[in-house]
């Protein structure tokens, strides 16, 4: 049986190999360990193996782990769908939110972020596959939302995030990731200062890194198959 530490090493090696074959430097790509559904003990194990940044999808579950593990000084990213009645908890407990797709949610997070904390780092989630059911702002609406979010005082807009439709078609995946990269380039050309492309999960680390990912969000390949299904977003 592989341990969390063994799997973390395997994932780091995959990221590094993908970066190298894309002629990128491996440390341009940060690994976010997605610990949703896994207990605090699993996070502790990954932290002992050197992992510092963790991603959570469910507000209360994430907040409970953050409190249980406070003494470890880890970095916490909220990556799931966010309802307005949960923004206060997220604004006070997390360091990053990847899933902003409405101005109203961003405004609440900014208003609720404690002035004694660093600004909350945020990414806009973009619906790159055009699926009706998916969360995320439409590509044509990214620029307006980005400008509005960038003006909010307690947030720091870092970049874009996407979750393409599940497919084994690597060419299609690369096109989805390339779209996110191009949208980001347009925002930068329009004057925004952005450094983050959050894309790539256990099954598509390689195409995401090839298209410029700076954060890959990896759960299963580190912690194993989840017993509870992933939040359908
Ligand atoms: C669950 C989840 C991940 C991790 O997915 P794996 O396939 O387990 O690596 C990444 N991003 C988001 C938004 C998720 O919900």
């Amino acid at each position: 049986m592989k341990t969390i530490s063994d799997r973390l090493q395997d994932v780091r090696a995959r990221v590094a190999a993908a970066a190298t074959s894309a002629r990128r430097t491996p440390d341009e790509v940060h690994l976010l360990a997605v610990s949703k559904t896994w207990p605090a003990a699993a996070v502790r194990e990954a932290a002992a193996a050197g992992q510092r940044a963790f991603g959570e999808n469910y507000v209360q579950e994430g907040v409970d782990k953050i409190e249980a593990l406070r003494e470890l000084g880890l970095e916490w990213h909220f990556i799931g769908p966010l309802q307005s009645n949960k923004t206060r908890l997220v604004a006070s407990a997390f360091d990053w939110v990847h899933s902003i797709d409405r101005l109203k949610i961003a405004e609440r997070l900014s208003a609720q972020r404690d002035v004694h904390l660093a600004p909350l780092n945020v990414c806009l989630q973009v619906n790159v596959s055009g699926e009706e059911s998916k969360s995320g702002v439409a590509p044509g609406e990214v620029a307006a939302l980005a400008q509005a979010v960038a003006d909010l005082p307690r947030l720091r807009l870092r970049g874009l995030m996407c979750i393409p439709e599940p497919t084994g078609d690597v060419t299609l995946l690369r096109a989805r990731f390339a779209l996110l990269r191009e949208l980001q380039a347009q925002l930068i050309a329009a004057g925004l200062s952005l450094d983050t492309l959050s894309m790539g999960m256990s099954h598509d680390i390689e195409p995401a890194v090839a298209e410029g990912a700076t954060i890959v969000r990896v759960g299963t390949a580190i912690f194993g198959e989840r017993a509870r299904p992933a939040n359908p977003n």
Side-chain angles (χ1 to χ4, degrees), residues 34 36 57 79 161 163 201-202 217-220 226:
V34 177
K36 66 181 175 206
N57 273 56
I79 61 174
M161 176 272 226
I163 310 172
M201 319 202 301
S202 293
R217 309 177 311 268
V218 180
T220 310
R226 287 177 291 273

Side-chain angles (χ1 to χ4, degrees), residues 100-102 124-131 134-146 160 179-180 183:
I100 304 283
D101 62 1
R102 284 180 287 152
L124 306 186
Q125 181 173 350
V126 183
N127 183 351
V128 291
S129 332
E131 293 167 284
K134 279 261 176 173
S135 318
V137 60
E141 291 161 15
V142 171
L145 182 59
L160 303 179
L179 172 60
L180 201 72
L183 289 167

